[in-house]
């Protein structure tokens, strides 16, 4: 009988422990994830601006999809990589300036709202000037290795410069 009572108390103690994560630990994980997401976005633009399209494309998820209001949708990693390379070849002196406005993280996904401008050298002054500006949403997700990847990219132009 003593053994049953002992087993009962051990059982009671083991199963009465909660698995809920304390709020401070949740905030720490969120801030670590937020820093990782911010760094990924910054590294993506740095790689593109350096002309390293291979590295820039490594930040894309295999199921990456681009939905832009002023162009055709691009679906899949290889197509997105080729589209990025084509864009770089078309505007080799262009650079992206991006400003992250908000990051929201939940359940293995991150939503990054940002504004950005594509800058190109002015033919007269050779100073970088915006030729296209946009507001965008990038949705990132954690892959099987718990690494963030850009999963979706949605954008709408806020300014375009069209030569006439």
């Amino acid at each position: 009988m003593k053994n049953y009572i002992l087993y009962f108390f051990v059982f009671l103690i083991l199963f009465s422990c909660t698995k809920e994560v304390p709020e401070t630990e949740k905030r720490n994980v969120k801030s670590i994830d937020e820093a990782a997401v911010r760094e990924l976005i910054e590294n993506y633009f740095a790689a593109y601006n350096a002309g390293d399209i291979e590295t820039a494309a490594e930040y894309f998820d295999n199921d990456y999809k681009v939905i832009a209001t002023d162009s055709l949708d691009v679906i899949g990693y290889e197509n997105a990589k080729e589209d990025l390379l084509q864009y770089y070849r078309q505007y080799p002196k262009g650079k992206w300036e991006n400003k992250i406005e908000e990051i929201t993280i939940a359940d293995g996904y991150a939503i990054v709202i940002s504004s950005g401008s594509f800058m190109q050298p002015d033919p007269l002054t050779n100073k970088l000037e915006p030729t296209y500006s946009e507001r965008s949403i990038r949705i990132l997700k954690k892959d099987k290795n718990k690494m963030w990847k850009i999963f979706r990219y949605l954008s709408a132009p806020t300014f375009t410069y069209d030569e006439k």
Side-chain angles (χ1 to χ4, degrees):
M1 185 69 177
K2 285 183 180 180
N3 285 342
Y4 288 120
I5 294 173
L6 181 63
Y7 289 135
F8 175 74
F9 280 114
V10 169
F11 180 78
L12 185 65
I13 290 169
L14 287 175
F15 287 101
S16 66
C17 295
T18 180
K19 291 190 178 198
E20 190 171 319
V21 179
E23 197 61 38
T24 55
E25 197 171 314
K26 286 180 186 178
R27 279 193 297 262
N28 289 342
V29 169
K30 187 176 179 183
S31 64
I32 290 168
D33 278 340
E34 187 174 317
V37 166
R38 185 175 299 279
E39 182 179 8
L40 181 140
I41 297 296
E42 290 169 357
N43 288 344
Y44 165 76
F45 282 108
Y48 179 88
N49 289 341
D52 189 354
I53 304 308
E54 273 304 310
T55 299
E58 287 177 11
Y59 296 107
F60 298 155
D61 184 79
N62 286 334
D63 296 324
Y64 182 69
K65 185 173 183 179
V66 176
I67 303 168
T69 57
D70 55 350
S71 65
L72 298 173
D73 293 356
V74 178
I75 301 170
Y77 173 83
E78 290 299 326
N79 292 333
K81 181 178 170 184
E82 183 59 36
D83 188 60
L84 196 64
L85 184 59
Q86 206 171 32
Y87 195 76
Y88 184 78
R89 286 179 183 150
Q90 188 174 356
Y91 306 106
K93 294 182 181 179
K95 307 282 184 208
W96 276 102
E97 286 186 0
N98 188 63
K99 180 182 178 239
I100 296 172
E101 297 172 2
E102 184 179 336
I103 298 175
T104 305
I105 299 173
D107 299 326
Y109 288 91
I111 299 171
V112 180
I113 299 172
S114 58
S115 56
S117 293
F118 190 70
M119 313 290 281
Q120 292 193 81
D122 180 274
L124 300 175
T125 65
N126 209 27
K127 180 182 170 191
L128 288 177
E129 299 287 338
T131 57
Y132 172 82
S133 295
E134 69 178 15
R135 297 258 314 166
S136 63
I137 298 172
R138 284 180 176 76
I139 301 172
L140 286 69
K141 75 175 186 175
K142 283 189 175 181
D143 65 10
K144 62 185 173 204
N145 299 321
K146 302 289 185 194
M147 300 297 295
W148 289 104
K149 294 286 188 168
I150 304 172
F151 179 60
R152 296 287 186 267
Y153 167 59
L154 308 119
S155 73
T158 56
F159 161 77
T160 56
Y161 174 78
D162 296 319
E163 292 183 346
K164 295 182 181 178

